[in-house]
Amino acid sequence: MSADRVPILMYHAVADSPARATYGLSVSPDSFAGQMRLLAERGFTPLTAEQLAVAWRTSAALPPKPVLITFDDGYEGVHRHALPALAEHGFSATLFASTGWLRGAHETGGALDLMLTWDQVRELAAAGVEIGGHSHTHPQLDQLADERLWFEVQRCREILAGELGRAPVSFAYPYGYSDRRVRRTVRAAGFSVSLAVGNTLAARPQGPYALERVTVRRSTGLGEFERLVEGRALGRLFVRDRTLTKGYAIYRRTRQVVRKASEARV
């Protein structure tokens, strides 16, 4: 695998008994531990989103087999189950937090399962996990009006900076959806790299605000996981996902046209 094509793994909940809403995109603690062992045995070197962005921006050399381990939303199992498995191998990772879903002072409700507390987020950061943004309340950003879009992105960044003492540099789009307007907003808010979901390997030509990730699910067996990180047969593995994505893109563009027409009439 070329260092110019990097697997970015997208995880969500890590739990034995996740909520029904998160089950399909969850992994069990045993599965996660086995996947981390495979990465170690195959000689992969995990990077954070910030490290990859800096390397590609400066043309710095990457390790022979780089990989990114990322978690969306901020589920409590990332601290309880994933962190020990990462620590066992000295692996870094990136957590993209929806600040309004985390338990504590900024909580807005709407979370799908048990979420991290801010103390747990700080413990993850202290252990070497990069904390990035994932919006404030996890909406579909490309469907929002400009003012609400700016609030979701900027409020998330402000809260993370206040709670952690360092402004985040990376962002992941909720549901993986973005368009030029969303990407411009993320950049204007101060993020220097952002991740989508295309179920293909990330590559430098995608640009720093549209890096693709591959989805790890409850159903992802160890053999399939090995093919994911090696970048083999991704088209076959995700053929259904890509078909649905194309169809839903047309639906989303139609919704945007309707929204803009409604705003123009007001």
Side-chain angles (χ1 to χ4, degrees):
M1 180 189 304
S2 168
D4 288 329
R5 299 178 70 240
V6 177
I8 303 181
L9 306 174
M10 181 183 68
Y11 291 94
H12 288 78
V14 182
D16 284 312
S17 301
R20 180 178 298 179
T22 63
Y23 185 85
L25 287 177
S26 71
V27 296
S28 71
D30 286 346
S31 292
F32 183 80
Q35 291 162 3
M36 296 304 101
R37 282 194 298 272
L38 185 146
L39 292 179
E41 291 167 358
R42 299 294 189 274
F44 281 89
T45 300
L47 307 173
T48 64
E50 180 178 11
Q51 288 171 334
L52 178 64
V54 169
W56 275 352
R57 187 176 299 115
T58 62
S59 297
L62 291 174
K65 298 183 75 172
V67 64
L68 272 67
I69 302 163
T70 71
F71 303 91
D72 280 10
D73 303 343
Y75 298 103
E76 194 269 348
V78 175
H79 181 276
R80 180 187 301 269
H81 300 298
L83 182 57
L86 294 169
E88 179 180 350
H89 303 288
F91 283 175
S92 59
T94 301
L95 167 74
F96 296 108
S98 294
T99 48
W101 280 13
L102 301 183
R103 288 182 285 163
H106 314 289
E107 190 172 358
T108 61
L112 302 178
D113 206 338
L114 182 65
M115 308 304 290
L116 294 163
T117 66
W118 282 103
D119 283 343
Q120 290 174 322
V121 173
R122 282 186 279 271
E123 289 174 11
L124 287 165
V129 176
E130 177 190 1
I131 309 300
H134 198 46
S135 81
H136 186 49
T137 66
H138 203 280
Q140 298 177 18
L141 295 178
D142 61 333
Q143 301 300 309
L144 302 182
D146 290 347
E147 183 177 353
R148 182 68 189 185
L149 170 60
W150 177 254
F151 169 82
E152 285 288 339
V153 175
Q154 182 63 16
R155 182 61 177 148
C156 173
R157 192 167 190 267
E158 289 174 348
I159 291 174
L160 289 173
E163 291 287 349
L164 303 177
R166 180 179 186 266
V169 300
S170 61
F171 188 89
Y173 306 112
Y175 307 101
Y177 305 138
S178 71
D179 55 20
R180 290 182 181 178
R181 182 178 64 104
V182 171
R183 294 190 287 273
R184 285 196 303 266
T185 301
V186 169
R187 181 174 182 174
F191 293 98
S192 59
V193 60
S194 51
L195 279 58
V197 185
N199 287 314
T200 189
L201 299 184
R204 194 195 304 253
Q206 292 165 359
Y209 293 94
L211 295 181
E212 303 284 14
R213 293 186 286 174
V214 292
T215 308
V216 184
R217 297 186 170 91
R218 197 83 179 182
S219 60
T220 303
L222 201 57
E224 180 179 335
F225 180 81
E226 184 174 9
R227 292 194 292 275
L228 293 185
V229 296
E230 295 286 358
R232 293 187 279 114
L234 293 182
R236 290 201 303 273
L237 290 174
F238 292 106
V239 62
R240 181 175 181 273
D241 298 76
R242 292 177 180 179
T243 300
L244 291 173
T245 296
K246 289 178 182 178
Y248 203 38
I250 297 172
Y251 168 71
R252 300 181 70 75
R253 285 196 294 270
T254 301
R255 284 187 61 187
Q256 287 176 316
V257 170
V258 172
R259 175 180 58 79
K260 291 176 181 178
S262 298
E263 292 173 352
R265 290 195 297 268
V266 174

